[in-house]
């Protein structure tokens, strides 16, 4: 089955070895472009995401990494008239943590409202941007299924998560669930 999926890179974008890049090439999925991955502004990025969703022929599933998990929650709270089918939220950065980079605007405090669509949060036990316990708290607040994959760093290309077939299977499971 052909699924509508938009990928959302996190802070500093996703490189050539990142799972998002691999999946885009494999499935023809599109990354939502962002003007400034170095110092992102929440309102601008939410507007860019909303515009990308508006161009989809049917409600897409969003495959988000890192800071873009917060982007998805901010978009969900924005009052957009557009719909998505679900969200795959990988390594959601804790923008409230004292160690979080201070180059973003508008992502604090973390949005903890229930999401109005099915979602999965995937977490690592040794992510430098979010503790497993905090990621579990996000999943509970968002009404998401929580999956911890053990020590996996930030679940990105640098941590060895290129093609990442297990993650792809989880995303495709979510896509199938949203098509029922």
């Amino acid at each position: 089955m052909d699924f509508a999926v938009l990928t959302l890179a996190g802070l500093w974008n996703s490189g050539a070895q990142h799972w998002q890049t691999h999946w885009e090439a494999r499935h023809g999925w599109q990354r939502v472009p962002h003007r400034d991955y170095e110092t992102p502004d929440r309102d601008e990025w939410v507007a860019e995401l909303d515009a990308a969703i508006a161009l989809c022929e049917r409600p897409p599933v969003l495959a988000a990494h890192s800071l873009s998990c917060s982007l998805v929650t901010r978009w969900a709270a924005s009052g957009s008239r557009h719909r998505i089918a679900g969200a795959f939220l990988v390594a959601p950065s804790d923008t409230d943590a004292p160690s979080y980079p201070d180059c973003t605007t508008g992502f604090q405090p973390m949005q903890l409202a229930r999401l109005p669509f099915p979602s999965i949060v995937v977490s690592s036990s040794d992510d430098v941007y979010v503790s497993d316990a905090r990621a579990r708290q996000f999943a509970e607040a968002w009404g998401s299924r929580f999956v911890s994959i053990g020590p996996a760093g930030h679940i990105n290309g640098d941590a060895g998560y290129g093609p990442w077939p297990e993650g792809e299977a989880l995303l495709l499971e979510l896509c199938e669930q949203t098509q029922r």
Side-chain angles (χ1 to χ4, degrees):
M1 185 177 274
D2 183 31
F3 301 110
V5 174
L6 294 176
T7 62
L8 300 164
L11 185 61
W12 305 310
N13 205 345
S14 296
Q17 295 308 310
H18 196 283
W19 52 267
Q20 289 179 316
T21 306
H22 284 271
W23 297 354
E24 290 161 357
R26 179 180 169 115
H27 296 282
W29 296 337
Q30 297 298 308
R31 182 171 302 177
V32 174
H34 179 50
R35 185 189 65 80
D36 184 3
Y37 286 103
E38 303 299 313
T39 58
D41 175 82
R42 177 196 69 204
D43 294 336
E44 177 184 37
W45 208 356
V46 166
E48 290 169 345
L49 174 55
D50 197 55
I53 293 167
L55 294 175
C56 294
E57 291 180 17
R58 62 183 185 267
V61 170
L62 305 180
H65 180 253
S66 192
L67 180 61
S68 67
C69 296
S70 291
L71 169 66
V72 171
T73 67
R74 296 296 179 160
W75 174 83
S78 73
S80 173
R81 63 182 178 86
H82 304 295
R83 291 185 41 247
I84 65 167
F88 185 66
L89 307 168
V90 179
S93 296
D94 185 355
T95 60
D96 292 336
S99 60
Y100 193 76
D102 63 358
C103 57
T104 67
T105 302
F107 289 95
Q108 296 84 22
M110 287 294 294
Q111 184 79 14
L112 297 176
R114 187 168 190 84
L115 297 174
F117 41 78
S119 58
I120 298 173
V121 169
V122 180
S123 176
S124 163
S125 61
D126 63 350
D127 190 333
V128 297
Y129 295 110
V130 66
S131 70
D132 213 31
R134 184 78 161 140
R136 182 181 300 275
Q137 179 186 10
F138 296 157
E140 289 173 4
W142 298 336
S144 305
R145 174 180 163 198
F146 180 74
V147 177
S148 178
I149 62 171
H154 194 48
I155 317 176
N156 59 11
D158 291 343
Y161 288 83
W164 190 29
E166 300 84 1
E168 185 177 13
L170 282 171
L171 173 58
L172 291 173
E173 178 185 318
L174 177 64
C175 290
E176 288 174 6
Q177 173 191 345
T178 65
Q179 299 301 312
R180 294 183 194 142

